[in-house]
């Protein structure tokens, strides 16, 4: 059995990304981080927060009628091939990925047979000093 290490990211879908960024900045003090990850805006959460938060454009209901608007991401270590194979064996599918996050790792999004989306994050292996 494959076990994720921890919840590492929550993806929140917004119909107005800038308004959501402004809201989270003013209400919680979480401004956007100056990093470009495709269409994601990552927020600067407190250091002791065990997960990150990113905001993306809202998925239209006709595109994905069962989306909850929240996608949890789980960190895993080097088991991506086995996880992706098992997802398909159990009737799920890979939605997208890999999406490289330079200096950090790879992102994938999978969907279970019921339409629930889950993100998978794998850290990059750091090269040994040599």
């Amino acid at each position: 059995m494959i076990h994720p290490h921890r919840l590492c990211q929550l993806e929140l879908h917004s119909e107005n990304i800038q308004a959501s960024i402004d809201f989270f900045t003013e209400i919680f003090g979480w401004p956007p981080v100056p990093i470009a990850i495709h269409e994601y805006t990552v927020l600067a959460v407190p250091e002791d927060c065990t997960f990150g938060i990113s905001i993306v454009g809202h998925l239209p209901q006709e595109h994905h009628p069962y989306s909850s608007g929240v996608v949890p991401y789980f960190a895993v270590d080097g088991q991506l091939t086995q996880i992706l194979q098992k997802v398909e064996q159990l009737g799920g599918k890979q939605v997208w990925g890999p999406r490289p996050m330079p200096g950090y790792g790879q992102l994938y999004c999978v969907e279970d047979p019921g339409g629930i989306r889950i993100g998978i994050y794998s850290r990059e292996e750091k090269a040994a000093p040599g």
Side-chain angles (χ1 to χ4, degrees):
M1 178 166 256
I2 299 168
H3 299 283
H5 289 277
R6 62 183 175 90
L7 177 67
C8 65
Q9 188 78 11
L10 289 176
E11 175 182 299
L12 307 176
H13 295 192
S14 173
E15 293 179 8
N16 184 330
I17 294 174
Q18 190 58 55
S20 293
I21 292 168
D22 293 344
F23 178 87
F24 279 90
T25 299
E26 290 298 319
I27 298 296
F28 297 113
W30 301 343
V33 173
I35 185 170
I37 305 175
H38 304 281
E39 67 277 6
Y40 294 79
T41 298
V42 177
L43 302 181
V45 297
E47 271 189 48
D48 62 348
C49 188
T50 59
F51 55 87
I53 295 178
S54 57
I55 298 174
V56 298
H58 181 70
L59 289 175
Q61 288 298 319
E62 65 272 9
H63 172 68
H64 195 1
Y66 302 109
S67 174
S68 66
V70 176
V71 178
Y73 282 73
F74 295 95
V76 298
D77 282 332
Q79 303 170 346
L80 290 172
T81 302
Q82 295 96 327
I83 291 171
L84 296 173
Q85 288 173 344
K86 190 166 258 190
V87 164
E88 289 188 12
Q89 289 170 358
L90 296 171
K93 65 180 179 180
Q94 181 177 330
V95 178
W96 52 256
R99 287 190 180 166
M101 198 164 59
Y104 294 95
Q106 299 284 334
L107 298 171
Y108 291 80
C109 182
V110 299
E111 188 173 276
D112 83 346
I116 296 173
R117 289 192 175 187
I118 299 168
I120 299 170
Y121 164 71
S122 178
R123 290 178 177 79
E124 283 183 354
E125 294 295 321
K126 302 294 181 193

